[in-house]
Amino acid sequence: MKKQRAALDTKATSTKKLNKPNSPPTKLELSSYESLKAGTNGIHKLGASMKVYGETALPSTISNLVRRIGLTLSKKRTKDTHRAGGLTFFTWYWLPDRKEAEKALAFVNETRSLRSASLITEKESQYLLAQFPNPRP
C-alpha cells in the first residue's frame, strides 16, 4: 500500500484536485473501476469511448495504470469489420487475476477517499473480485 500511495501522491493524479470535495474522478480511477466491472471480459477503446465514460485515449490510460499504479493488465488484439466492410482492430485489456483486481480496487477506493467520495461497498467489492480467478502459484 505504501508503494501504491506514493505512486498516487506523486504521479497518478494531482492530489490538490482530488482533495477537493465533489471533484470528478480521474481517468485512471474511471478506467480502473470499469476494468473491475468488466471482469475478465475486459474493456476496449470503442466501448470506453462511446458506451462507458468518454475515454478517447484508452491505450495511454492503460499504460499509465501499468507505469504509475503498478497494475498488470492482460491484452489481446482482435479484428472486427467496420461499417464499410473492411477490417479494423481493437485491443482488449483486462485484469488477469484477483490479485490485480484487488490492487485496482484499492486504488479506486483510495482516490475516492481523497476526493471525499463514497467508497465501493463491501458487497460490491466482493461481487467485483469474485469475477477474477485466483492468481497462479
Side-chain angles (χ1 to χ4, degrees), residues 67-86:
R67 290 182 307 116
R68 296 180 176 178
I69 309 306
L71 289 179
T72 300
L73 285 105
S74 296
K75 65 182 181 177
K76 180 180 180 184
R77 191 168 186 219
T78 60
K79 58 184 173 181
D80 198 2
T81 306
H82 62 65
R83 286 182 240 186

Side-chain angles (χ1 to χ4, degrees), residues 40-55:
T40 55
N41 291 327
I43 59 175
H44 62 90
K45 187 174 183 174
L46 186 60
S49 169
M50 298 181 70
K51 299 176 184 174
V52 183
Y53 64 99
E55 172 69 74

Side-chain angles (χ1 to χ4, degrees), residues 116-136:
S116 301
S118 50
L119 304 181
I120 297 173
T121 66
E122 185 63 31
K123 184 177 180 178
E124 184 179 7
S125 295
Q126 289 175 359
Y127 170 78
L128 292 170
L129 294 175
Q131 301 177 93
F132 297 94
N134 287 319
R136 294 181 185 172

Side-chain angles (χ1 to χ4, degrees), residues 14-132:
S14 169
T15 54
K16 290 178 184 175
K17 290 179 185 176
L18 285 176
N19 285 328
K20 294 179 183 176
N22 300 321
S23 62
T26 65
K27 284 176 37 168
L28 294 181
E29 178 187 339
L30 290 169
S31 59
S32 296
Y33 185 56
E34 291 305 322
S35 293
L36 284 164
K37 290 189 330 185
T40 55
N41 291 327
I43 59 175
H44 62 90
K45 187 174 183 174
L46 186 60
S49 169
M50 298 181 70
K51 299 176 184 174
V52 183
Y53 64 99
E55 172 69 74
T56 57
L58 185 62
S60 295
T61 301
I62 295 297
S63 176
N64 283 329
L65 285 172
V66 170
R67 290 182 307 116
R68 296 180 176 178
I69 309 306
L71 289 179
T72 300
L73 285 105
S74 296
K75 65 182 181 177
K76 180 180 180 184
R77 191 168 186 219
T78 60
K79 58 184 173 181
D80 198 2
T81 306
H82 62 65
R83 286 182 240 186
L87 284 180
T88 188
F89 295 89
F90 290 102
T91 302
W92 289 82
Y93 303 94
W94 67 94
L95 297 160
D97 58 40
R98 192 163 298 155
K99 179 182 172 189
E100 294 304 315
E102 288 169 350
K103 280 193 224 176
L105 180 66
F107 172 72
V108 170
N109 275 333
E110 186 161 349
T111 57
R112 286 182 175 198
S113 175
L114 287 171
R115 44 183 199 89
S116 301
S118 50
L119 304 181
I120 297 173
T121 66
E122 185 63 31
K123 184 177 180 178
E124 184 179 7
S125 295
Q126 289 175 359
Y127 170 78
L128 292 170
L129 294 175
Q131 301 177 93
F132 297 94

